[in-house]
Amino acid sequence: MRLIGTTATGIRLPIISAGDDLVEIVTSHVLNVLKSQGNDLSKDDIVGVTEAMVAKMEGNFAKLSDIGCDVREKFGDQAEIGLVYPMLSRNRFLNILRGISLGAKKVHVLLSYPHDEVGNPCMDIELLDEANDKFRGRMVGAEEFRSVVGAYKLPYTGVDYVKLYEEAADNIEIHFSNDPRDILKLTKNVLVGEIHSRERTKARLLKAGAERVFTLSDILSKSVNGSGFNPQYGVLGSNLSSDDVLKLFPAKAAEFTAAVQARFRQAAGVAPEVIVYGDGAFKDPDHGIWELADPVVSPGFTPRLGERPVEIKMKLVADAVYGDLSGDEKRKAVTNMVKGKAANPDAYREGTTPRMYADLVGSLCDLMGGSGDKGTPVILLRGYFDDYSSD
C-alpha cells in the first residue's frame, strides 16, 4: 500500500517580463526539479502557472486613460454614469475607479451594505439592524450613512474604503442601497461593478428602464489606443501594476496551457495537465471575505481538468458498509469498492461535492503559491488523480 497521496511543490522562476518564452521556462524548470528529486514526469501530474506570469508574458497591460477612453466611447462625452456595486479593494478596484472617472462628467458610485459582493465590509455588521431601520430601503448618501453607522476601517488593511473611493477623483459621489435599481433615480447610464452577479444585475437594470448598461467585462474587452485587453473579462481580474497601469487577466490562457502541454510532450515524451490559476475559491472564516476576486478560478486549462471527480464517501463506506470488518480485511474490502466505483458512480457519494477539477486544483495552487513573496508561481501537483486503491 502506497503511503503518500497528493503532493504539491512550489517551483521558483526568474522574474518574468513581457515577451519572455514562458512556455520553455516553465517546462525546463519543472523537469529540472523532477530530475533533482530522481523522479520522472507523469501524464497524471498537473502543472499550475499563476495568471500573473501569463499576463506579464503577454504584455497585457492598460493605462487608466485607456479605461477613460473606453467609458467615453460607451456612454458618450460628459455623461453622468452610475457605478453599481464595485468591489472594495485598493489593488483590485481603486485604479479602475480612477480610470472610469476620467471618462465621465460624474460617477455616482452605489455601494451595497454591510459588505460588497465578496464580503469586504463597509460597516460594523452589528449595526445592520439599526441601519435598516433608519434607511427603510431608501438610497442614502455617504454623509447620512456615516451618521448612522459611523466611519469604518477594514480590519485587515485599516482602510476606510468609503472615504478612499470618495477621494479617488473630484467627480465621484457615494451612495448606499441594497437595490441596484435605485441608481436609476440618478442616471439611466449604468456600469455594473459586480464580478459574479454582473449579468443578473444588468438584466434587472435593463428591465427597470436603464438606457445603457455595461459591465466591467465590457471595459477593455478590445484594445483601446494599443492597450492590452481581455475579450471575455475586460478589466475583471485585473491588478494594480503601477500608479497609472493595470495588469489585466491573461487573454490567451487556454492557448498557453496547450503550448506548455505540447512542449512537455516534446521534451519528455509525456503530456501532463496544465492550468493557469488565479484566485482560489475559498472564504476567510474570520472576516467572511470570499477570496475569489477574479471572475473565474482558472482562465485556461487542459481538457481533463474540465471534468469532475467521481468519488465515494470513504468514511461512510468504512462505517456503514464494512463496519463489521477490521484490519487488513476491511482495508481490502474498501479498496475493492473504490476500484469498482466507475461501474456504479452514484453509490455512496453522499456528502461529496463533484466540483470541477480546475476549480479544486486552481484553489490548491493559489494556496500553495500565495499572493505575496513566496516566489513560487509554478506549482507541481503529483498524485492528484489517485484514490485509495492506487498502487
Side-chain angles (χ1 to χ4, degrees):
M1 181 181 179
R2 194 172 69 192
L3 299 180
I4 297 176
T6 302
T7 63
T9 303
I11 298 177
R12 289 183 174 163
L13 257 61
I15 302 299
I16 301 300
S17 301
D20 285 349
D21 188 353
L22 188 60
V23 172
E24 173 59 30
I25 292 171
V26 169
T27 304
S28 62
H29 277 68
V30 169
L31 292 177
N32 286 339
V33 166
L34 286 170
K35 183 178 180 181
S36 71
Q37 296 173 337
N39 294 321
D40 294 322
L41 186 68
S42 165
K43 67 178 180 59
D44 291 328
D45 290 343
I46 303 172
V47 177
V49 183
T50 180
E51 58 85 18
M53 295 294 100
V54 180
K56 285 184 177 183
M57 174 204 68
E58 292 177 357
N60 205 15
F61 297 89
K63 296 179 180 179
L64 304 195
S65 57
D66 299 325
I67 295 175
C69 287
D70 206 0
V71 169
R72 280 193 298 274
E73 180 184 331
K74 288 178 168 58
F75 291 102
D77 288 334
Q78 296 299 302
E80 287 197 17
I81 68 172
L83 174 61
V84 174
Y85 299 162
M87 183 182 181
L88 300 175
S89 171
R90 290 173 296 180
N91 177 41
R92 290 289 191 167
F93 192 74
L94 179 60
N95 268 10
I96 294 177
L97 176 58
R98 288 172 173 155
I100 292 168
S101 73
L102 295 175
K105 178 181 178 181
K106 188 166 187 177
V107 183
H108 296 281
V109 179
L110 185 64
L111 299 178
S112 59
Y113 64 90
H115 51 67
D116 67 10
E117 179 189 13
V118 295
N120 295 302
C122 58
M123 60 173 285
D124 185 343
I125 197 169
E126 298 301 326
L127 299 175
L128 181 58
D129 287 342
E130 184 177 350
N132 285 334
D133 290 342
K134 293 282 188 180
F135 304 149
R136 300 183 188 280
R138 296 180 294 115
M139 179 171 61
V140 299
E143 185 175 349
E144 183 177 358
F145 188 79
R146 287 195 191 93
S147 71
V148 175
V149 302
Y152 182 81
K153 294 182 179 181
L154 197 68
Y156 280 143
T157 62
V159 174
D160 180 340
Y161 280 96
V162 177
K163 181 180 180 182
L164 186 69
Y165 283 10
E166 277 183 313
E167 297 176 350
D170 293 336
N171 60 343
I172 292 174
E173 186 173 340
I174 306 293
H175 312 268
F176 292 85
S177 172
N178 286 330
D179 186 341
R181 295 169 296 185
D182 280 343
I183 198 67
L184 301 180
K185 299 171 184 176
L186 302 172
T187 177
K188 304 297 184 183
N189 301 313
V190 186
L191 181 58
V192 178
E194 287 173 303
I195 305 164
H196 306 291
S197 304
R198 60 189 183 276
E199 293 301 332
R200 179 173 181 270
T201 297
K202 178 180 179 179
R204 293 179 70 194
L205 289 165
L206 288 170
K207 186 177 179 180
E211 295 175 359
R212 284 177 288 188
V213 183
F214 295 94
T215 72
L216 292 181
S217 61
D218 299 315
I219 304 299
L220 295 187
S221 61
K222 61 182 180 179
S223 181
V224 175
N225 299 324
S227 72
F229 65 100
N230 189 298
Q232 187 173 5
Y233 299 117
V235 294
L236 291 176
S238 64
N239 283 273
L240 175 69
S241 180
S242 64
D243 287 343
D244 65 344
V245 175
L246 292 177
K247 178 202 67 64
L248 303 179
F249 218 36
K252 298 180 179 179
E255 293 92 328
F256 173 78
T257 60
V260 173
Q261 189 177 59
R263 182 70 186 92
F264 273 117
R265 184 183 290 111
Q266 180 185 42
V270 175
E273 302 305 317
V274 184
I275 184 171
V276 174
Y277 67 91
D279 275 344
F282 51 88
K283 190 173 184 178
D284 166 31
D286 288 332
H287 295 94
I289 298 172
W290 190 20
E291 176 67 14
L292 188 55
D294 288 327
V296 288
V297 172
S298 170
F301 45 85
T302 46
R304 187 179 181 186
L305 297 178
E307 300 172 2
R308 299 175 187 272
V310 175
E311 300 174 314
I312 66 170
K313 194 71 172 178
M314 202 165 82
K315 291 182 291 185
L316 177 61
V317 168
D319 295 338
V321 182
Y322 299 117
D324 57 337
L325 302 180
S326 61
D328 194 53
E329 186 180 16
K330 188 170 189 174
R331 181 187 65 79
K332 289 179 179 179
V334 172
T335 299
N336 288 333
M337 177 168 277
V338 173
K339 284 183 178 179
K341 65 185 177 183
N344 188 13
D346 294 324
Y348 302 105
R349 292 182 65 182
E350 293 88 343
T352 64
T353 304
R355 298 179 179 91
M356 190 168 65
Y357 278 123
D359 293 332
L360 295 165
V361 168
S363 298
L364 175 55
C365 288
D366 184 36
L367 286 167
M368 281 292 298
S371 59
D373 56 6
K374 288 185 179 296
T376 55
V378 172
I379 308 297
L380 174 63
L381 302 180
R382 315 204 76 197
Y384 194 85
F385 296 110
D386 291 355
D387 58 32
Y388 187 70
S389 68
S390 299
D391 296 326

